[in-house]
Amino acid sequence: MESVLFNDMSLSNGTIIKNRFFKGAMSEGLANVNNEPTEAHYHLYENWAKGGAGIVVTGHVMIDQRALGEPRNVVVESDAVLPHLEKWAENGTLHGTQLWMQLNHPGKQAMKGVVKEAIAPSAIPFPGRTGRLFLEPREITPTEIKEVIQRFGNSAKLAKQAGFTGVQIHGAHGYLISQFLSPRHNQRKDEWGGEIDARMKFLIEVYREIRRQTGNFQVGVKLNSADFMKAGFTEEEAIYVAEQLEKEGVDLIEISGGSFENPTMTGQNVKESTKKREAYFLDFAEKLRETVHVPLCVTGGFRSKAGMENAITSKATDFVGLARPFAIYPDFPNLMEANQLEEVILHPKKLGIKSIDNQIPLDSLWYMLQLERIGRGKTVRANHPVWLAFFEGLFKHGKEMFQQQRA
Ligand SMILES: Cc1cc2nc3c(=O)[nH]c(=O)nc-3n(C[C@H](O)[C@H](O)[C@H](O)COP(=O)(O)O)c2cc1C
């Protein structure tokens, strides 16, 4: 009998997604110094499109040149980038693959050395270790809020024009939208802060502006199930926000959780009982399902075909979202379909030196190097030493921050 993972599914607008594999966003860091997509993007996404995923979401693309998350992010803010986007979209949509551009503004989660200033709902810096990585933010003004909302719409319009089949609003992981949602980071006294209706207004307005500028287009949202921080965004609030997004007509909600302060999205600090279910946010998705009927994707932790099949059969989720496995086996959906792979085994990327392991996102550095290898036509190096990735990452990012500042 064929696996449920290969059943197609139609979204409410009638688009048929060929299977249940959803490649979650992974920031590639492969743009050129002008923050345009490069050959490495075209090649990487061609690999993923050929690899069998139903939906492929890009790494986060920034909506404003002045607001990068990391060096070498792609920026989409004017039609000068269209020729590059067209090539990216052409390769990424081969074999009927859905290619959705993830749109993001980092807010205060913008690395030091990459931006000149950081804005946030309130002028609250990250405390402790996280604070060392990022600039102290200033409060975004109401006029700037409107400009950022307009920019999300403009970037989505350009993505549609270039041939992407959808966009995903990054509302998770502690970036600007997630900062607005969280009472820990949003302590505004105006219409954009306060109770949850006011804190989610920014996300809702971003969604509406994208709809206004794109019309009939696929628009998804990546949402945290919670921040897992004191006085942060809660599960109850996340359910409420998802209910409102459904009323607005969103096409798909992807569930994740955490931020740089507590990176639960990649499995850190996740309870052992939760890990037994393989995916970290399945329990939450089940709760969400009681009131929300829009197609769902749960991302984080899926590794085995059996675990993914259980999640779909139990109806907790419609799509299985995976990121890191796609960096090691870009074609793992095809391999699973051919019964050549039952499970992707990944080991934590740590040096065993607490001060480094707790402060540097080694996991991301290591996987980004693999993305670069695929993009440059090299083979994946699954046994690449973590210490080497650490030094390569330091060298590369140091050099890139220097170039970025000069560009
Ligand atoms: C190298 C790397 C880059 C990532 N970049 C993004 C990103 O740009 N946007 C996003 O929403 N999530 C990003 N993530 C998080 C993943 O989308 C996903 O939520 C997380 O890795 C858990 O899924 P997994 O266990 O299948 O890897 C990134 C993860 C990695 C490893």
Side-chain angles (χ1 to χ4, degrees):
M1 199 178 71
E2 203 185 49
S3 162
V4 288
L5 296 170
F6 299 94
N7 289 352
D8 60 16
M9 164 140 194
S10 43
L11 301 185
S12 59
N13 62 8
T15 303
I16 296 173
I17 313 293
K18 67 180 177 187
N19 62 37
R20 307 307 178 91
F21 291 97
F22 180 107
K23 188 239 141 229
M26 270 186 287
S27 184
E28 310 89 7
L30 292 174
N32 62 22
V33 284
N34 299 320
N35 301 100
E36 294 157 342
T38 59
E39 287 291 330
H41 285 96
Y42 314 149
H43 198 244
L44 175 62
Y45 282 80
E46 183 179 338
N47 269 272
W48 279 329
K50 285 182 178 162
I55 300 180
V56 170
V57 179
T58 68
H60 57 177
V61 165
M62 300 299 147
I63 58 159
D64 186 339
Q65 183 77 48
R66 297 163 301 178
L68 303 180
E70 308 108 34
R72 305 293 178 121
N73 286 144
V74 172
V75 175
V76 173
E77 62 175 7
S78 83
D79 51 15
V81 75
L82 274 175
H84 303 270
L85 293 186
E86 281 163 8
K87 184 77 186 128
W88 187 2
E90 187 187 326
N91 284 16
T93 52
L94 291 170
H95 302 284
T97 311
Q98 284 284 316
L99 180 65
W100 294 11
M101 184 186 284
Q102 187 183 61
L103 298 176
N104 196 18
H105 186 301
K108 65 183 169 188
Q109 222 168 238
M111 277 176 158
K112 270 185 185 160
V114 178
V115 287
K116 292 204 173 67
E117 90 168 335
I119 48 174
S122 304
I124 305 170
F126 283 113
R129 276 198 309 264
T130 318
R132 283 188 226 145
L133 291 174
F134 304 112
L135 284 180
E136 270 198 32
R138 79 165 165 79
E139 186 176 295
I140 183 173
T141 66
T143 312
E144 286 170 329
I145 291 178
K146 299 226 163 90
E147 188 209 319
V148 173
I149 291 170
Q150 200 281 331
R151 278 178 173 272
F152 269 100
N154 179 55
S155 304
K157 185 183 73 187
L158 293 168
K160 183 178 181 188
Q161 230 172 305
F164 284 75
T165 54
V167 287
Q168 184 188 57
I169 302 169
H170 198 346
H173 301 173
Y175 294 102
L176 185 63
I177 292 177
S178 151
Q179 287 159 32
F180 265 97
L181 289 170
S182 167
R184 177 180 170 84
H185 299 294
N186 179 355
Q187 292 175 11
R188 295 179 74 92
K189 303 277 179 266
D190 61 6
E191 61 185 305
W192 305 98
E195 294 305 315
I196 184 62
D197 277 305
R199 278 182 276 124
M200 75 173 188
K201 186 174 147 100
F202 182 65
L203 167 60
I204 299 290
E205 292 299 328
V206 165
Y207 172 80
R208 287 181 181 163
E209 181 63 18
I210 289 179
R211 273 273 172 255
R212 196 183 68 75
Q213 294 205 36
T214 61
N216 182 19
F217 194 42
Q218 254 112 216
V219 185
V221 173
K222 187 163 183 169
L223 189 67
N224 270 357
S225 55
D227 288 353
F228 304 102
M229 291 302 295
K230 204 169 156 202
F233 183 59
T234 63
E235 286 196 358
E236 291 67 36
E237 289 178 335
I239 291 172
Y240 180 71
V241 172
E243 287 167 358
Q244 305 316 305
L245 286 170
E246 175 165 32
K247 283 186 199 150
E248 294 284 330
V250 74
D251 292 297
L252 185 146
I253 298 176
E254 181 189 359
I255 299 301
S256 188
S259 69
F260 271 74
E261 289 187 288
N262 186 2
T264 43
M265 64 285 218
T266 47
Q268 279 187 50
N269 309 326
V270 168
K271 284 191 267 169
E272 280 311 308
S273 57
T274 308
K275 280 189 182 162
K276 283 208 181 84
R277 296 204 66 187
E278 208 168 299
Y280 319 136
F281 307 110
L282 269 181
D283 290 350
F284 172 78
E286 276 164 3
K287 272 188 239 163
L288 188 61
R289 271 289 197 224
E290 289 171 17
T291 53
V292 173
H293 310 289
V294 68
L296 288 186
C297 172
V298 173
T299 300
F302 280 119
R303 300 293 177 260
S304 73
K305 193 175 180 186
M308 295 179 225
E309 285 172 347
N310 285 342
I312 300 282
T313 321
S314 73
K315 303 213 179 314
T317 186
D318 300 296
F319 293 93
V320 287
L322 299 101
R324 287 164 292 182
F326 274 104
I328 303 301
Y329 294 100
D331 59 344
F332 88 83
N334 285 350
L335 293 175
M336 285 192 172
E337 190 168 25
N339 293 320
Q340 289 171 4
L341 184 74
E342 290 298 314
E343 185 174 6
V344 177
I345 296 173
L346 304 177
H347 301 289
K349 307 298 169 215
K350 292 202 180 297
L351 281 178
I353 305 169
K354 259 196 178 159
S355 54
I356 298 181
D357 289 339
N358 290 341
Q359 202 163 318
I360 309 280
L362 284 174
D363 215 59
S364 298
L365 281 182
W366 191 90
Y367 284 99
M368 284 171 92
L369 285 174
Q370 304 296 346
L371 300 187
E372 184 169 355
R373 289 186 69 83
I374 304 170
R376 308 235 181 272
K378 298 180 184 166
T379 50
V380 164
R381 194 180 279 163
N383 57 0
H384 194 65
V386 180
W387 63 265
L388 190 55
F390 170 63
F391 285 111
E392 286 166 340
L394 277 190
F395 176 72
K396 183 168 175 242
H397 282 283
K399 194 174 96 190
E400 280 162 6
M401 280 183 192
F402 178 71
Q403 286 173 337
Q404 194 88 51
Q405 280 172 342
R406 290 171 60 108

